[in-house]
Amino acid sequence: MVGGPSLAGLCPLTTLRTPRLELRRWQASDADGFAAMNSDPEVMRWLPSALTRKESDQLMTQIDDGFASRGFGVWAAERRDDGAFLGFVGLNVPRWELPFWACVEVAWRLSRAAWGFGYATEGAREALRFGFEDVGLERIRSWTVPENRRSLAVMDRLGMTRLGEFDHPALPDGHALRRHVHMVLERTDWQAAR
Ligand SMILES: CC(C)(COP(=O)(O)OP(=O)(O)OC[C@H]1O[C@@H](n2cnc3c(N)ncnc32)[C@H](O)[C@@H]1OP(=O)(O)O)[C@@H](O)C(=O)NCCC(=O)NCCS
């Protein structure tokens, strides 16, 4: 592959399907769309910074390494009817020492053109099912800055409840995005709502 991250050691795919999405392992052909999404200031508005091409490629490699070692991660979200790469939805184990370390979060990032169709919620529901049923997790968390209305709306639609707020350890004191809302979904609550 020229100019993209190495995807050497690709494990057998764990592909999840929803009515409109395929959540699949990453392919070299995702690198351009991923970089375009990660450089879009609107998509990255509530994240610390937009990513350069190199940073985006490194993140893609890091995500794929997580699949290889863990068997799950944030999947590449592909629209089933036309094969378009939409972004990612899935489960992530944060690398930072959070107050509630170790944990699994449900996470999403879609290209701007894919907002407003329900794709994030649809994909995240399947990621939660995978996390609770197939991985056997007891709880799945999520967090974002209080201003990220769209992301918080996804968490609400998923039935997550608010635990409180915390300061993100990856960001320095005084950083405008340091404060985060902390949401959780317990396995028992997820089962009860099915
Ligand atoms: C967070 C993010 C994924 C949310 O995307 P989204 O499209 O708003 O969320 P959903 O996929 O759940 O779609 C919900 C919207 O689709 C609409 N919709 C249209 N067709 C739909 C359908 N068939 N089914 C469900 N919803 C549908 C809903 O009415 C809702 O619209 P609204 O925003 O006007 O209320 C997106 O804004 C994003 O990628 N942001 C940047 C990255 C980011 O901040 N990630 C989180 C960091 S912690």
Side-chain angles (χ1 to χ4, degrees):
M1 185 192 339
V2 178
S6 166
L7 295 181
L10 203 68
C11 277
L13 296 179
T14 305
T15 301
L16 305 181
R17 284 195 162 191
T18 71
R20 296 179 296 171
L21 303 176
E22 185 157 296
L23 303 180
R24 57 160 175 75
R25 285 284 296 271
W26 294 72
Q27 301 171 353
S29 56
D30 299 326
D32 288 349
F34 191 47
M37 175 177 81
N38 290 328
S39 68
D40 181 340
E42 198 175 353
V43 172
M44 304 303 280
R45 180 171 178 196
W46 304 119
L47 294 155
S49 62
L51 303 187
T52 64
R53 175 65 195 231
K54 190 175 170 196
E55 289 167 336
S56 179
D57 287 351
Q58 283 170 344
L59 177 58
M60 194 165 137
T61 300
Q62 184 189 311
I63 291 169
D64 200 63
D65 288 348
F67 274 100
S69 62
R70 194 178 291 123
F72 65 84
V74 292
W75 288 270
E78 182 176 305
R79 190 161 49 209
R80 288 175 60 182
D81 68 1
D82 63 358
F85 171 81
L86 304 179
F88 69 68
V89 181
L91 302 175
N92 181 48
V93 177
R95 286 172 302 140
W96 331 281
E97 300 243 340
L98 291 163
F100 32 90
W101 178 264
C103 67
V104 175
E105 65 163 330
V106 59
W108 36 73
R109 187 181 304 169
L110 299 182
S111 300
R112 182 65 190 88
W115 296 8
F117 296 95
Y119 295 138
T121 301
E122 182 173 317
R125 282 208 174 98
E126 176 59 9
L128 291 173
R129 186 211 58 73
F130 177 86
F132 288 126
E133 278 188 0
D134 298 345
V135 185
L137 300 170
E138 287 302 318
R139 69 185 55 79
I140 298 176
R141 301 171 191 258
S142 199
W143 48 82
T144 190
V145 297
E147 297 85 354
N148 195 344
R149 183 187 59 77
R150 280 186 170 274
S151 196
L152 287 168
V154 176
M155 296 175 204
D156 284 341
R157 283 191 283 272
L158 295 172
M160 305 190 88
T161 55
R162 183 183 167 119
L163 276 181
E165 295 191 359
F166 68 96
D167 286 329
H168 202 297
L171 298 173
D173 268 346
H175 193 288
L177 300 179
R178 192 151 197 247
R179 201 75 185 146
H180 276 60
V181 178
H182 182 189
M183 305 285 285
V184 71
L185 184 59
E186 300 286 342
R187 177 198 190 84
T188 44
D189 293 334
W190 172 78
Q191 278 169 330
R194 295 196 92 197

